[in-house]
Amino acid sequence: MAASSPDKVALLSGNEAIARGAVEAGVQVAAGYPGTPSTEIIEALASIAEHLGIYVEWSVNETVALSLAAGAAFTGVRSLAVMKHVGLNWASDPLMSVCLTGIKGGLLVVTADDPGAHSSQNEQDNRIYAYLANIPMLEPAGPQEAKDMVIEAFDLSEKIALPVMLRTTTRVSHVSENVRLGDIPRDRRQARFEKDFGRYYLAGKTPVRRHMWQLEQMKKAEEWSESSGFNRLENEGGHTCVITSGVSYCYVKEALALLNVTDVAVLKIGVIHPLPKSRITELMKSFDRVLVVEELEPVLEVQIRALAQITGGSLEISGKMSGDVPRCDELNTDSVLEVLSCFLRKELVREETENRLPQRLLTMCPGCPHRATSYALKEALRRVSSEYVVMGDIGCYGLAALPPLQIIDASLCMGTGIGLACGMTRGGLDLPVVAVIGDSTFFHAGMPQLLNAIYNNSKITLIIYDNRTTAMTGFQPHPGVGKTAMGKQSVVIKPEEICRGMGVHFVEVVDPHDLAKSINIIEKAIAFNGPSVVVARRLCAIVELKQKGKERPYQVDLSNCTGCGICISQFGCPSIIWKNEATAIDPSTCNGCGVCAQICPSGAIQRAKVVRYGV
Ligand SMILES: Cc1ncc(C[n+]2csc(CCOP(=O)(O)OP(=O)(O)O)c2C)c(N)n1
C-alpha cells in the first residue's frame, strides 16, 4: 500500500483503492468513524500513515471527523473524511456549512452506502446529499475507477474550492480488482491559515453571499463534468440506451452480454452531480428509448426526465418511476437481467441454479460478554417486574434482541436508545425502562443523550456494554481503549467517570461473567430513584482470543445433566449444541468463559480436564 511503484498492479479492494488514491493524491489528514462498508479505508491509511508522514485518526463520530478534515483543508492541506451512509447524517451539519465557506486544500468526503441494508439500519441513498449540499459527487463502478476518481476529486476540489464527495456502495467497497498503481508524492504542504472573516465566519448575510459564490463555483464543476471521461457512452449507434452508474453499470454490462445484445448503447455516469446536462440532452436526441438502471432512489431518472422535457421529443423513458426497475434493495445481475429482458422484449432463457448458501442465524460469538450482560439484565428485570421495556442501540449487543435472549424491544440508530427510554417514561409508561448502549456508541452519540436524561431528571437505567472495542465494525479503538488508529498510546477514558462527572449518582461497574453480582447490581440500579448507570465491562471475546489464546473449554457431565435445556433455550451460546438427545459443548468453539456453568441449575457443566475435539 505504501510502496511508490508506478505502473505496478496490485489486487486491491475498493476501500483499499480509495486509500491508495488518497495517498497518491497527497492526502495529509484523514479522519473517519468506523462503519460498514467504509471501515477499511481508514484502517488501510492508518497502517501506513506513520511511514508516509500523514495523520490518520478514528474520530469519536462522523461530525467530528468531517470538522477535523475541514479544518485541515482550511489550512491548505489535502484531507479526507470517511464514513458509512448513516454517518453522513451526523456529518451533514458541517457538510452543509463547509460547502459555503469552501476550502483551500482539497477536501474529499467518502460516503459508503449500503443498498440492501446488509449491515445497516436503513438503505438511504446519499447521492441526494450531493444535491442538498450542492457539491460535486463521483461514483465509481470498481476499485480502479475508485482510485482514479479519488485523485481527480482532490484536483477538482481545489480547482473549485469546494468539498467533493465520493459515493461507493457495499459491492464497490468490498470487491477486489487489479489496480494500476501510481506515484506517491513525498513532499508535504505547509499548513497556513489565511484569515478571511467574510468567508469562514458564517453569520449575518455571509451565508447568502457565500451561497451565490457556491453557485458560481458549481458552474465550473458543470463545465468539468461535461468533458469528464467518467461519463462515457459505450456502444453508440442504436436507438436504445441504458443510462446507469456505479455497480449497476457492471450488472448492465453483464446482463447485456448474457442476453447476447450488442445494439444497445450504455451511458455510464460517473459524475452524479453535476450531471453533464448538455451532453445528455444532446445524446438523448439520437435515442427513441432510454432505460435508467440505478440502485435505490430514482436520482438520475428524475434528472433525465427533466432534461427530456427540455429536448421536447418523444423519448420513452423507463426506470423506477415507470415501475420497471425495483426501488428497494440492491440490484444484482439477475434482477437487472430480468429488467433488461422486459425492456428489450428479449426472452430470458435461464438455467435454474440452486441456492446452496446455508441460512445462518444472527448470534453473538461464543464467550461474548454481551450475552452474559443481557442474561443478567433479563434476570434482574424479571425479579423487579413481570413487565419492562428495554430500548436498544447499534452494535453487537443489539443481537440480544434476537432469540433466545430477546431482551431489546426497539432500536433506531446510534445513540437514540437513551432518548427513546426517556420519551417512554415522559409519555407516562409506568414500567421499569432500561436503555442499553455499547462503549463506542456511548462515546459517539450516547453522552449528550445521557446528559439530557440527567439534566431533565429522567428516571432510566442505562447499561453500558463495555467490551473495550468497537466490535461490530471490526475492533477499532475508541477513547476507552487507550490506543489511537495509528497505534499510539493514549489516555483511557472511562465511561463510569464520565457518567459520574455528568452527575449520575448511581454508577457501578460489573464483570458480566460474574453473573450473580451483575444481576444483583442491575437490580439495584433499576430500583434507584433517578438515572442510574451500570457499566458491564469485559473484553470482547474475539479480542481476548487474539491477545491471550483459547482457554480450556467447558464440557457437559451427562450423569448430572437433566436435559432441561436452559443453557440452549435461555442463554443460547452457539457452542452449546444438542447432540444424540443430550446437551454437549463443542470444544472447538467454546472459549471457556464459564458463564453457562453458572446458569446450569444441576451443576452439569464443568471445565474440561482433557479436551477431546470432535464431539
Ligand atoms: C452513524 C453511524 N456510524 C457508524 C455506524 C456503524 N456502527 C454500527 S454499531 C457501531 C459501534 C459498535 O461499537 P460498540 O458500541 O462499542 O458496540 P460493540 O459492537 O462493540 O458491542 C458502529 C460504529 C452506524 N451504524 N451509524
Side-chain angles (χ1 to χ4, degrees), residues 14-135:
N15 282 342
E16 288 168 333
I18 290 168
R20 175 73 195 200
V23 165
E24 288 181 16
V27 75
Q28 281 176 234
V29 171
Y33 181 72
T36 312
S38 70
T39 311
E40 299 81 8
I41 301 172
I42 290 293
E43 281 182 339
L45 285 170
S47 69
I48 51 175
E50 195 144 32
H51 175 67
L52 293 176
I54 61 180
Y55 176 76
V56 180
E57 75 166 38
W58 283 124
S59 306
V60 297
N61 67 31
E62 294 85 354
T63 196
V64 175
L66 180 52
S67 309
L68 183 127
F74 282 179
T75 68
V77 305
R78 291 190 162 186
S79 65
L80 176 70
V82 180
M83 57 209 68
K84 70 180 284 164
H85 62 334
V86 288
L88 194 58
N89 299 336
W90 275 80
S92 60
D93 219 4
L95 182 74
M96 294 307 296
S97 297
V98 73
C99 65
L100 296 182
T101 60
I103 40 74
K104 281 275 156 86
L107 170 58
L108 180 65
V109 181
V110 176
T111 163
D113 293 9
D114 189 10
H118 292 284
S119 45
S120 311
Q121 70 268 30
N122 73 18
E123 51 170 5
Q124 72 186 47
D125 188 334
N126 276 8
R127 290 179 299 170
I128 293 167
Y129 268 116
Y131 290 87
L132 185 65
N134 198 16
I135 53 172

